[in-house]
Amino acid sequence: AAVPGGGVRWCAGVPESGQEGLPDPNMNYHSPTRGAPPHPRKGALRPQDLGDGIFQAYPDPPPASDAYTSRHYPVLMVAQGAVRHIRINNSYRHNALSDDLQLGLYGTLQKYGRDVPGKAVLVDAVGKEYCTGTDVKSLYAGVLGLEGVDKVSPRDYFRHQYKLMHLVSRFRKPMIPFVDGKCMGAGVGLVANAAVSMGTEKATFSVPNVRTGLPVDGGNSYILGNLPYNLGKLIALTGMTLSSTDMYTLDLLSHRVTSDTAHHVVENLENQWSSQWERILYCLAEHHDMDSVLHLTTGDIEAAERCFRAKNVSDILEALDNDPHPVTKRWASALRASSPLALQISLELLDRAEELNRVQAFKMEYRAVRNMVEKHPDFLEGVRSTVLERKRPRWESTVEGVSASSVEEYLREYEDPSEELSLRDPFADHRELPYVPFDLIRRVAHDAIDQFDALGTARDEDFLGDNRQEAVAEGVVEGNG
């Protein structure tokens, strides 16, 4: 696909001859279907639909990718100013994290991560959904060996998923998922594994995997397992919906902006040519929305701490049934509608993740979700009933029949080492861009936000305070000369 006036062909996320796309003043980044008509049947954007737009398609498979079978273009991208834009374009699947989308995101992010002129990467999406999580339909077809439909083996799919999540968590530049719609399951992992992220008042987040017989995936066991007051267990086992305010308060989202100011954020980012994280974080903090309401109440948090401290699903259900907080009955109903085995595996993953680092949690989670999909009929029943036939599933596992010890076979390491997930830092040989610790970036981001009052007026020139010395040493900010 050629950029009008530029003669640039994009392949695997890299423009030839180092050229960049020409800007289109009519392109609205935050209304993805404006300026480019939707696909007549599937809603996805095609290269020929873009006209004079600046986004270019990702039609070619990444190197060594045999699984690239997309019928359209799941990833669009462009270099615009200091920002490299990536747009998820899988809307005919409700932006599910299909295998071709995973491969496209991985290949594009890997190339953009080494792109010297680009100072930040912004990832948004076409349509009302940002990312609806794991592509359970393709996994269902892959397990059953169905013909004539998109299918993928659980082994390949989850290997690609966790390599993508690892890449996101180790990205050497500000990689900013921008969520302006529904985000579910592994999509939440895509956002929360990034050190910097944005959500608007239209964004919603949930991890409803257990309703389809799938344990938590996308790195969510590590993310949710480290939340206080058993809130991670509440989110993972009930599939409850969170707002961007909830996500920010739980530190799963670094910034919250309004839809009205989002375009100003993007414009400012495009003009940030400094290679220091400090300027990007300062730019985002300037537009951070502080006028918002937390959906999780104090009563909800106290009830979660009381009811979800048990190690078995049956004990949690008993605690929920006997708790005086009015919402616990609804939580209990959500658990009873989900796969008991998927619930117990998720519970065990979250408990163990507290003692693991991110990579260790990814590897454990990979074994759990792959084994669940390959070995137990609850996954097939969950997809068939809830996704394909839209009816209540009839689970083979029972609450009484699962326990912490009964899920051990799903978490145990493979006898064949080649079946284990191997994760290597994709930028280990790229020494020009040192890795900056995730927690430090978040602390600096919070310091920058604290600098501004509700009107966005700067209060203090040095917003880093006690974090400045460490931030300078790690390369997040520049020293004093």
Side-chain angles (χ1 to χ4, degrees), residues 321-383:
D321 290 336
N322 297 326
D323 195 89
H325 189 55
V327 79
T328 56
K329 305 302 182 291
R330 188 168 74 245
W331 293 348
S333 297
L335 263 67
R336 289 191 169 96
S338 302
S339 161
L341 181 57
L343 286 168
Q344 188 63 56
I345 293 176
S346 298
L347 185 61
E348 190 68 19
L349 286 172
L350 267 64
D351 278 334
R352 297 191 185 190
E354 294 183 57
E355 307 299 326
L356 304 176
N357 61 37
R358 196 183 300 265
V359 171
Q360 291 170 334
F362 284 177
K363 292 181 177 181
M364 177 181 65
E365 195 176 286
Y366 163 78
R367 294 192 295 269
V369 293
R370 177 184 165 187
N371 284 329
M372 182 71 184
V373 172
E374 291 179 337
K375 294 181 177 180
H376 202 276
D378 268 9
F379 172 73
L380 296 177
E381 171 64 16
V383 177

Side-chain angles (χ1 to χ4, degrees), residues 20 25 59 87-88 128 141 197 239 261 265 279 298 350 418 426 448 463 473:
E20 298 184 0
R87 178 164 289 171
I88 297 172
K128 296 181 179 180
S197 51
T261 60
V265 180
R279 304 317 308 164
T298 302
L350 267 64
S418 65
F463 61 86

Side-chain angles (χ1 to χ4, degrees), residues 131-134 182-190 192 204-225 227 231-242 247 250 252 334-335 338 342-343 346 349-350 365 369:
C131 180
T132 54
T134 293
K182 185 183 296 184
C183 186
M184 303 167 66
V188 175
L190 188 66
T204 61
F205 302 84
S206 62
V207 186
N209 298 37
V210 291
R211 298 176 188 172
T212 55
L214 185 69
V216 292
D217 62 351
N220 280 312
S221 64
Y222 179 82
I223 294 162
L224 300 178
L227 291 182
L231 289 174
K233 297 176 184 178
L234 168 65
I235 295 167
L237 302 188
T238 65
M240 69 183 303
T241 299
L242 302 174
M247 289 285 287
L250 296 173
L252 302 180
L335 263 67
S338 302
L343 286 168
S346 298
L349 286 172
L350 267 64
E365 195 176 286
V369 293

Side-chain angles (χ1 to χ4, degrees), residues 30 83 85 121-124 130 175-181 183 190-192 194-201 203-205 244 247-248 252-258 261-267 269 280-281 283-285 287-289 442:
H30 307 291
V83 175
H85 293 262
V121 178
L122 185 73
V123 184
D124 63 5
Y130 180 78
M175 196 287 280
I176 311 168
F178 172 58
V179 186
D180 193 34
C183 186
L190 188 66
V191 174
V196 186
S197 51
M198 291 192 300
T200 72
E201 74 281 0
T204 61
F205 302 84
S244 58
M247 289 285 287
Y248 172 73
L252 302 180
L253 192 74
S254 69
H255 295 83
R256 186 185 185 278
V257 299
T258 63
T261 60
H263 65 285
H264 294 301
V265 180
V266 176
E267 289 173 358
L269 287 173
I280 300 293
L281 297 176
C283 171
L284 295 175
H287 297 279
H288 179 76
D289 176 36
R442 279 295 169 90

Side-chain angles (χ1 to χ4, degrees), residues 255-330:
H255 295 83
R256 186 185 185 278
V257 299
T258 63
S259 298
D260 294 337
T261 60
H263 65 285
H264 294 301
V265 180
V266 176
E267 289 173 358
N268 287 353
L269 287 173
E270 290 171 353
N271 294 318
Q272 292 295 329
W273 288 101
S274 171
S275 58
Q276 296 293 325
W277 284 75
E278 178 183 21
R279 304 317 308 164
I280 300 293
L281 297 176
Y282 191 94
C283 171
L284 295 175
E286 186 177 1
H287 297 279
H288 179 76
D289 176 36
M290 301 181 186
D291 185 17
S292 53
V293 179
L294 183 66
H295 289 192
L296 278 172
T297 67
T298 302
D300 295 342
I301 296 172
E302 292 174 347
E305 186 176 21
R306 290 192 302 269
C307 298
F308 286 88
R309 62 180 56 168
K311 299 294 183 182
N312 294 322
V313 175
S314 57
D315 294 337
I316 291 176
L317 281 169
E318 182 179 354
L320 291 172
D321 290 336
N322 297 326
D323 195 89
H325 189 55
V327 79
T328 56
K329 305 302 182 291
R330 188 168 74 245

Side-chain angles (χ1 to χ4, degrees), residues 381-395:
E381 171 64 16
V383 177
R384 181 184 63 81
S385 298
T386 62
V387 178
L388 302 180
E389 299 179 2
R390 305 287 181 176
K391 65 180 185 180
R392 190 180 182 91
R394 303 175 66 177
W395 306 113

